[in-house]
Amino acid sequence: MATRTSFENSNEIGVFAALTNAYCLTGVGGSENFFSVFESELSEHIPVIHATIGGCRFVGRTTVGNRRGLLVPSTTTDQELQHLRNSLPDSVVVQRIEERLSALGNIIACNDHVALVHPDIDRETEDVISDVLGVEVFRQTVAGQALVGSYSKFTNQGGMVHPRTTVEDIEELSSLLQVPLVAGTVNRGSDVLGGGMVVNDWTAFVGLDTTSTEISVIESIFKLSGRQGNAGTGQSSIVTDMRSSLIDQLS
């Protein structure tokens, strides 16, 4: 199920939160509402942790991780690193990375098996990503954009890419990642998917502006609505959901 939320007045919740199958990080905000939304949905399954990176609240764009590990930029203080290590499950490795492109969430997109990275990333960084997160690493662009973490979002179930991605690119990425992909938007037409939503294998959180049509596409491609079905029924159910949600909006 996808839940709408916002951080203070911003719909870019992917900037202020990071979500994996093993943990959730949220930025330290003026109010506890944002944290509470995540806590109520997730606390029975995984830890939800207040965090800052280099004293800043945008933990979603500066960090990247999966169930095996969490990578943080060189701006992270020793105290913040220790707090993360103390709060996260023992199975999660926390590693600080010396990388010129320090907004790791913008330049890396990953699930538990594969990572797409910015074409200009350091060779050493690529090795660290592979070792810490236990993934295969591919240098790639999405719709001609080098910021793969901003313009794509994928889990072990499925993924979503920039709306201008060509069919050929979608097929190529889909075969690399071994998950079904769809081009889509979030927050009423925003193409910055990494900034507008956070998602794992069983739940998603999206910005408050996200339309019901966008939510039905997100729930369908990430298989969040409990309908596993085969590809054919999945496709027709997206259309049915879209039709009913459009009728909802127009009535």
Side-chain angles (χ1 to χ4, degrees):
M1 195 187 82
T3 308
R4 288 188 180 101
T5 183
S6 66
F7 183 87
E8 293 174 5
N9 272 334
S10 171
N11 287 308
E12 302 294 322
I13 62 158
V15 173
F16 301 102
L19 175 64
T20 71
N21 291 332
Y23 55 86
C24 175
L25 305 181
T26 66
V28 177
S31 85
E32 284 293 278
N33 295 7
F34 186 65
F35 179 78
S36 304
V37 170
F38 285 90
E39 195 174 45
S40 63
E41 287 289 322
L42 301 170
S43 59
E44 289 177 22
H45 311 289
I46 57 175
V48 183
I49 301 153
H50 275 306
T52 57
I53 298 292
C56 299
R57 305 185 291 183
F58 33 81
V59 293
R61 296 298 82 204
T62 49
T63 67
V64 67
N66 62 14
R67 66 184 168 84
R68 294 187 195 89
L70 175 68
L71 300 175
V72 295
S74 52
T75 52
T76 313
T77 64
D78 293 345
Q79 194 177 358
E80 288 166 340
L81 199 61
Q82 197 56 53
H83 166 64
L84 288 169
R85 286 187 171 137
N86 291 343
S87 310
L88 289 170
D90 293 339
S91 59
V92 177
V93 180
V94 184
Q95 176 74 43
R96 193 158 41 187
I97 251 181
E98 297 292 330
E99 164 62 52
R100 183 175 55 87
L101 305 166
S102 62
L104 303 177
N106 286 337
I107 59 167
I108 303 163
C110 73
N111 62 13
D112 293 337
H113 308 293
V114 186
L116 301 182
V117 300
H118 190 294
D120 300 337
I121 210 165
D122 288 346
R123 180 70 229 209
E124 295 80 47
T125 307
E126 194 180 324
D127 293 340
V128 174
I129 294 166
S130 181
D131 293 343
V132 174
L133 303 183
V135 292
E136 275 191 273
V137 181
F138 298 102
R139 290 172 188 257
Q140 202 70 36
T141 59
V142 173
Q145 306 277 356
L147 296 176
V148 288
S150 302
Y151 296 107
S152 67
K153 199 79 190 159
F154 56 92
T155 66
N156 303 326
Q157 311 284 341
M160 194 177 256
V161 293
H162 190 290
R164 298 238 171 104
T165 314
T166 63
V167 175
E168 294 79 30
D169 280 357
I170 289 177
E171 284 176 359
E172 183 190 342
L173 288 170
S174 186
S175 68
L176 269 186
L177 303 173
Q178 295 293 299
V179 295
L181 294 180
V182 70
T185 59
V186 70
N187 283 333
R188 205 178 289 271
S190 165
D191 51 20
V192 188
L193 303 171
M197 68 173 163
V198 291
V199 60
N200 69 9
D201 284 355
W202 71 88
T203 189
F205 297 86
V206 295
L208 274 185
D209 280 351
T210 306
T211 64
S212 48
T213 312
E214 287 168 338
I215 283 187
S216 77
V217 173
I218 288 165
E219 288 186 341
S220 186
I221 194 66
F222 290 114
K223 299 187 171 65
L224 302 176
S225 45
R227 274 194 316 264
Q228 295 293 338
N230 60 39
T233 59
Q235 199 64 35
S236 64
S237 66
I238 289 185
V239 175
T240 314
D241 282 359
M242 278 181 163
R243 198 172 289 134
S244 58
S245 57
L246 280 171
I247 292 165
D248 283 351
Q249 284 178 315
L250 294 169
S251 60

